[in-house]
Amino acid sequence: MNFDFEETPTTDLFADLTAPQQQAVRHVNGPLLILAGPGSGKTRVITHRIANLLCQGIPGSSIIALTFTNKAADEMRRRVHQLAGEQQVWMGTFHSFCARLLRRYASLVGLEPNYSIYDTDDSRRVLKQALANTKASTDHVTPGGIASAISWAKNGLCGPDDFVPRQYSATGAVAAQVYPEYQRLLREANAVDFDDLLLAIAQLLRENAELRAEWDDRYRYVLVDEYQDTNLAQYAIVRGLSIDHPNLAVTGDPDQSIYGWRGANLSNILEFERDFPDTTIVRLEQNFRSTPNILRAADQLIACNVRRKAKRLYTDRAEGPPVRLVVYPTGRDEADGIAARVAEEIRLGNRGANDFAVFYRINALSRTLEHAFRSAGVPYQVVKGLEFYQRREIKDVLAYLQLVNNPRDNFALLRIINVPPRGLGKVTVGRLVAYAQQQRLSLLEAARHSGMIPTIPARTANKVAALVAAVDRMAVHVPSGVCETLIAVLEQSGYRRWLETSESEEDEERLANIEELLTAAEEFDHEHPEPDQAVEHFLEQSSLVADTDAWEEQAERVTLMTLHAAKGLEFPVVHIIAAEQRLLPHERSMEDPDKLEEERRLLFVGMTRACEELQISLAQYRTFRGDRRPTIPSSFLMELPRQEMAYSEPGEEPDAGVDFSFDVEDFGSETAPPPVWTDAEFFQESPDDYQSSRFASGRSAKRSPGGAPTCRFPPSAFFPGMAVSHPQYGSGMIVAVGGSGNKRRARVQFFDDHQERSFLLVHSPLVPEGMEELLE
DNA sequence: ATGCGCCAAGTTTTT
DNA sequence: CTTGGCGCAT
């Protein structure tokens, strides 16, 4: 509103900002790199800067702000609105921006404007079909591996013909073979996958100079949030929009880059200054979020990374309670312990449920937590990556909508051709597909001709014809908006009746979900008064929203989410669970140093979400994939400032000076009690000592005379049941441990010679299985 | 063609 | 422990 706008004096935009923040907000022309540490008021700076640009008389329509998540875009929009009123500024995700642009230029890349957007699940089906069509050998490769190879290629701007597989890579070879067919199938169905959205626009901007100049001119001020997470395609897009008018402002933090697996290229931010000459660099290093205790721990951890821009984090805040490290006997104890602690704080009235968050590396770890919180009667919400829009019934119904919007969408038709069941099975589908291929028709067109397909019996052809007629009846409603079309889909497809007549409770829930979808559709219609493109835009939105976006900030509930989902958020109290080898550095990221650094950044992101209290925990035994295994403490724990942290076992006061020792009787007993680490044991070496002893004593550690530890792992890292290897005796398994501290011993059964041997752990060259590579 | 049941596999993170 | 894919029996 104009009124608001004028009531907000320019000076207010700079009030309560630090000097560096003001500098960034004031910056108008030329490239700007804002290196923003966690909690440094980055969003504030971006929104104030947009408001400032508007104050300078720059039209909102020439400003574009690109984010990675809808959540970030919504937040930005809300805050800019607050500062400067309703604006024409485009604020949205890269994908939604590209989707919109691609509608306009669809024909330039062989698409029609009503193209479908396939999510990962849909893309999988296409890939499966492509694999079948090319008869590629699937030995030694997984569909997932091929999918990510293709995705990787697209993010690196490699089209199907430029793809050069890595040598000696089975997956690469198959991907090279399948990629063109995969792409052909997508185009045939007038569909794109997520990566295509970026790829297509990047290529357009690169190859079509006129078009590039037009959009560069249109968006003279470009802002990119989380720049450290951009991949090559996104980089090309940003670059293309910033050549004639290089008023590009990016914010990011190399230490918070956690999407390398998705093709994010850390070089984009590390080399921004080289790419854009005369860049102004602003460093936001003051942290307004966390206590110094938390900050020091996070800072010391991240200092272990090599690929980074050194950065000093500081805060004016007062010291808080020490960061806690807690060891629980099992994963269940861990969950129960946290839930109990949270429940107690709430009961005492110290905190509300929404003050707490629990982070974990993988979604699978949420189950135990959910169970614990439910038993403890603590309200919680799980922020899952895939929820609503991935549900079968939602995807089914949306597939009808997709088919109606894009009649060439073969995969949508394949999905719903027999849902609800209408007697059209594999055989009929096969005949339709064959006919469509032979006649070069879309599947729906082929279905229209079902009566003329000799291989299809008349009775079946009638069923097919009925389906086609139903789809046609749905299509009639498209101009009237999403809600009406959706209702037509539910009626004409028989989907609603199918669920209604079902006895199962599951189907009842599905019906409820569909009602929810209808509500969303209604809302959408309400917000988008022009009904002609409503269905298309609704589909676009539903495929580009993640459920992370549905997280309710204000709800009185504990938040449970993955470390990835936590980025950009903050909570008074944060718990990070399962700080264990193979889980927190995830097992698939342990060998590659770059990936290991990314895991470290992930933990860094998690830690820096905490404002007042931070607890990192692990379990000695964890049940995973059905079986219970002893764990190895995360190597990252060795990189924290252990001397100033509070270490405790559940039930113990922090730093209570616990001293557990094992009886020798425990040796050899099958049911040995879980191993226990004392503070002293666990934190035996400072990081520097740890590193130097690691690298000084090579693979076959020699016994040093003075009694200094030569083992490269703390004695407490070894448990009964753990697989270990020995440079001389090969691999074996620990059958028992005893003693504590430097006297802790392990008895190992070796597989090679079937002998049992006993070791004084501090001096042993024993290495936990799978950790050998870590030692170089 | 449908539905059931078994076996197998595969599990990071998300637009 | 889950999901999904496949094969068999009806």
Side-chain angles (χ1 to χ4, degrees):
Chain A
M1 306 216 135
N2 268 339
F3 183 74
D4 283 348
F5 185 68
E6 278 164 21
E7 281 299 294
T8 312
T10 316
T11 50
D12 257 9
L13 284 176
F14 296 90
D16 302 322
L17 293 182
T18 63
Q21 288 179 332
Q22 289 186 17
Q23 191 196 349
V25 170
R26 192 171 291 119
H27 183 98
V28 176
N29 289 310
L32 172 68
L33 169 62
I34 303 171
L35 288 169
S40 60
K42 179 192 59 170
T43 310
R44 196 144 181 255
V45 167
I46 301 175
T47 51
H48 281 241
R49 180 163 177 271
I50 293 175
N52 187 49
L53 291 176
L54 296 166
C55 274
Q56 305 290 316
I58 292 161
S61 57
S62 62
I63 303 174
I64 182 169
L66 295 167
T67 64
F68 279 81
T69 64
N70 296 293
K71 193 170 64 189
D74 292 344
E75 173 72 1
M76 201 183 283
R77 196 172 298 113
R78 192 181 64 76
R79 288 169 70 165
V80 169
H81 182 129
Q82 219 169 34
L83 287 169
E86 201 72 53
Q87 290 301 334
Q88 295 297 302
V89 182
W90 174 287
M91 286 176 265
T93 63
F94 270 99
H95 286 86
S96 62
F97 170 66
C98 291
R100 220 29 93 77
L101 212 53
L102 193 54
R103 296 272 174 221
R104 185 186 291 220
Y105 299 112
S107 61
L108 297 182
V109 293
L111 289 164
E112 294 175 53
N114 57 335
Y115 66 85
S116 303
I117 300 172
Y118 284 179
D119 67 15
T120 317
D121 186 56
D122 305 326
S123 306
R124 268 293 168 84
R125 292 161 190 261
V126 181
L127 184 62
K128 245 185 95 183
Q129 186 65 54
L131 278 166
N133 290 358
T134 51
K135 301 190 181 72
S137 142
T138 51
D139 296 343
H140 314 296
V141 298
T142 63
I146 297 167
S148 69
I150 293 177
S151 173
W152 192 268
K154 287 184 175 182
N155 289 330
L157 298 180
C158 278
D161 304 324
D162 333 314
F163 186 82
V164 181
R166 264 183 46 212
Q167 267 193 316
Y168 312 118
S169 155
T171 301
V174 180
Q177 198 182 346
V178 173
Y179 185 5
E181 174 65 6
Y182 170 77
Q183 206 60 14
R184 191 189 69 77
L185 288 171
L186 280 174
R187 285 297 179 272
E188 191 174 82
N190 189 30
V192 299
D193 62 20
F194 285 142
D195 302 316
D196 282 334
L197 291 170
L198 303 178
L199 176 66
I201 296 304
Q203 282 179 337
L204 272 181
L205 292 177
R206 210 148 79 149
E207 289 158 14
N208 192 326
E210 219 171 291
L211 193 144
R212 189 208 61 73
E214 184 189 331
W215 286 95
D216 191 343
D217 190 56
R218 166 83 181 272
Y219 291 117
R220 296 198 176 192
Y221 294 86
V222 179
L223 292 90
V224 182
D225 194 18
E226 309 282 13
Y227 192 69
Q228 76 279 355
D229 286 330
T230 48
N231 59 36
L232 185 63
Q234 287 158 332
Y235 170 82
I237 292 165
V238 171
R239 189 108 210 225
L241 295 175
S242 309
I243 291 177
D244 305 324
H245 302 280
N247 307 316
L248 169 66
V250 306
T251 61
D253 179 1
D255 292 335
Q256 294 185 61
S257 163
I258 53 176
Y259 287 105
W261 52 275
R262 225 166 88 185
N265 188 351
L266 205 44
S267 308
N268 291 347
I269 191 162
L270 293 178
E271 286 162 28
F272 185 84
E273 309 151 64
R274 194 208 58 194
D275 293 339
F276 298 91
D278 303 317
T279 291
T280 303
I281 302 179
V282 175
R283 287 166 183 272
L284 304 179
E285 293 174 312
Q286 182 172 356
N287 178 295
F288 300 97
R289 178 186 296 151
S290 311
T291 64
N293 314 60
I294 293 167
L295 220 51
R296 276 195 303 274
D299 194 48
Q300 187 166 323
L301 173 81
I302 204 63
C304 297
N305 271 5
V306 177
R307 277 200 84 192
R308 67 189 293 254
K309 275 181 186 301
K311 171 156 78 317
R312 197 180 138 245
L313 296 177
Y314 64 96
T315 179
D316 288 343
R317 296 194 48 167
E319 291 285 321
V323 175
R324 296 193 302 274
L325 176 67
V326 182
V327 181
Y328 297 91
T330 68
R332 176 166 289 189
D333 295 323
E334 181 184 48
D336 289 339
I338 292 170
R341 202 186 162 102
V342 169
E344 180 67 1
E345 290 281 293
I346 294 173
R347 195 185 63 78
L348 292 172
N350 295 341
R351 304 260 186 208
N354 57 345
D355 288 336
F356 297 91
V358 186
F359 303 151
Y360 33 84
R361 178 63 177 84
I362 58 172
N363 273 315
L365 291 171
S366 75
R367 279 186 177 279
T368 328
L369 286 168
E370 286 184 70
H371 179 79
F373 277 104
R374 211 174 302 132
S375 314
V378 176
Y380 64 89
Q381 57 178 333
V382 184
V383 181
K384 273 213 205 86
L386 36 102
E387 258 305 79
F388 192 71
Y389 286 101
Q390 301 274 40
R391 287 168 204 260
R392 174 152 354 114
E393 62 277 17
I394 301 299
K395 291 218 66 173
D396 286 343
V397 174
L398 288 178
Y400 278 100
L401 221 50
Q402 271 181 312
L403 181 60
V404 166
N405 179 244
N406 171 20
R408 278 173 50 196
D409 195 332
N410 300 334
F411 291 89
L413 178 54
L414 283 174
R415 181 179 182 104
I416 52 86
I417 193 163
N418 202 29
V419 183
R422 43 175 78 90
L424 302 173
K426 223 161 54 181
V427 176
T428 307
V429 170
R431 288 169 180 164
L432 275 173
V433 169
Y435 182 82
Q437 221 156 39
Q438 187 193 327
Q439 304 288 320
R440 298 176 172 273
L441 295 171
S442 74
L443 218 47
L444 186 62
E445 281 302 312
R448 284 187 198 284
H449 300 181
S450 62
M452 300 156 50
I453 302 174
T455 48
I456 295 181
R459 283 180 62 125
T460 313
N462 286 338
K463 293 180 193 160
V464 175
L467 172 63
V468 174
V471 170
D472 288 342
R473 284 197 297 274
M474 298 169 197
V476 174
H477 298 271
V478 168
S480 319
V482 183
C483 199
E484 202 180 313
T485 315
L486 216 46
I487 289 169
V489 165
L490 292 172
E491 299 312 320
Q492 301 299 336
S493 66
Y495 208 97
R496 172 170 264 157
R497 187 154 3 127
W498 180 50
L499 291 183
E500 276 169 353
T501 53
S502 157
E503 304 285 305
S504 81
E505 256 177 65
E506 205 186 355
D507 287 339
E508 227 167 282
E509 199 179 319
R510 292 199 165 139
L511 215 46
N513 288 329
I514 286 176
E515 288 302 329
E516 207 177 322
L517 183 68
L518 275 171
T519 311
E522 219 167 319
E523 238 169 78
F524 189 92
D525 281 336
H526 191 70
E527 288 165 22
H528 301 255
E530 72 305 346
D532 47 321
Q533 291 181 330
V535 167
E536 191 164 290
H537 286 169
F538 181 73
L539 283 169
E540 181 179 304
Q541 185 192 283
S542 8
S543 47
L544 295 178
V545 295
D547 290 291
T548 324
D549 305 333
W551 173 68
E552 297 171 64
E553 192 168 3
Q554 66 298 10
E556 265 295 326
R557 300 194 227 159
V558 176
T559 298
L560 273 42
M561 54 168 58
T562 63
L563 286 162
H564 280 90
K567 192 162 74 164
L569 305 175
E570 62 176 45
F571 300 88
V573 185
V574 164
H575 290 258
I576 298 173
I577 67 162
E580 293 148 24
Q581 231 33 12
R582 295 171 173 267
L583 225 39
L584 193 32
H586 189 269
E587 58 183 335
R588 284 168 68 166
S589 303
M590 288 187 8
E591 326 95 43
D592 181 347
D594 282 352
K595 287 184 179 170
L596 189 69
E597 289 210 345
E598 183 154 313
E599 297 285 311
R600 193 178 281 114
R601 291 194 290 268
L602 200 47
L603 178 55
F604 174 78
V605 166
M607 292 173 72
T608 52
R609 299 309 97 194
C611 305
E612 291 154 34
E613 288 180 49
L614 172 62
Q615 169 177 313
I616 300 173
S617 61
L618 62 153
Q620 290 162 325
Y621 286 94
R622 188 168 299 277
T623 306
F624 193 56
R625 282 184 189 172
D627 57 16
R628 180 184 156 100
R629 293 171 52 181
T631 66
I632 306 170
S634 167
S635 56
F636 296 148
L637 297 177
M638 299 296 159
E639 301 167 356
L640 297 171
R642 298 158 350 227
Q643 63 289 348
E644 61 167 89
M645 289 165 54
Y647 168 80
S648 66
E649 318 254 342
E652 295 289 334
E653 286 305 308
D655 286 333
V658 279
D659 178 44
F660 292 88
S661 43
F662 276 73
D663 244 20
V664 190
E665 319 301 308
D666 293 338
F667 266 111
S669 95
E670 278 273 46
T671 53
V676 176
W677 316 314
T678 65
D679 195 339
E681 271 183 322
F682 195 84
F683 297 140
Q684 202 157 42
E685 301 162 286
S686 78
D688 288 344
D689 296 346
Y690 183 66
Q691 295 251 330
S692 54
S693 73
R694 248 170 76 174
F695 295 118
S697 57
R699 245 199 109 96
S700 51
K702 291 167 212 115
R703 296 193 177 196
S704 61
T710 50
C711 179
R712 290 143 299 177
F713 295 86
S716 52
F718 296 87
F719 312 124
M722 178 189 280
V724 293
S725 70
H726 185 284
Q728 271 173 278
Y729 303 121
S731 52
M733 180 185 276
I734 298 180
V735 293
V737 295
S740 68
N742 289 351
K743 292 188 182 138
R744 192 177 170 89
R745 306 172 62 84
R747 176 162 282 278
V748 179
Q749 163 89 55
F750 287 95
F751 300 137
D752 292 352
D753 57 5
H754 306 287
Q755 292 295 305
E756 276 195 9
R757 292 180 184 84
S758 189
F759 297 89
L760 193 59
L761 282 165
V762 254
H763 292 308
S764 78
L766 289 174
V767 177
E769 193 76 54
M771 300 279 289
E772 295 89 344
E773 312 88 321
L774 273 184
L775 301 177
E776 318 241 276

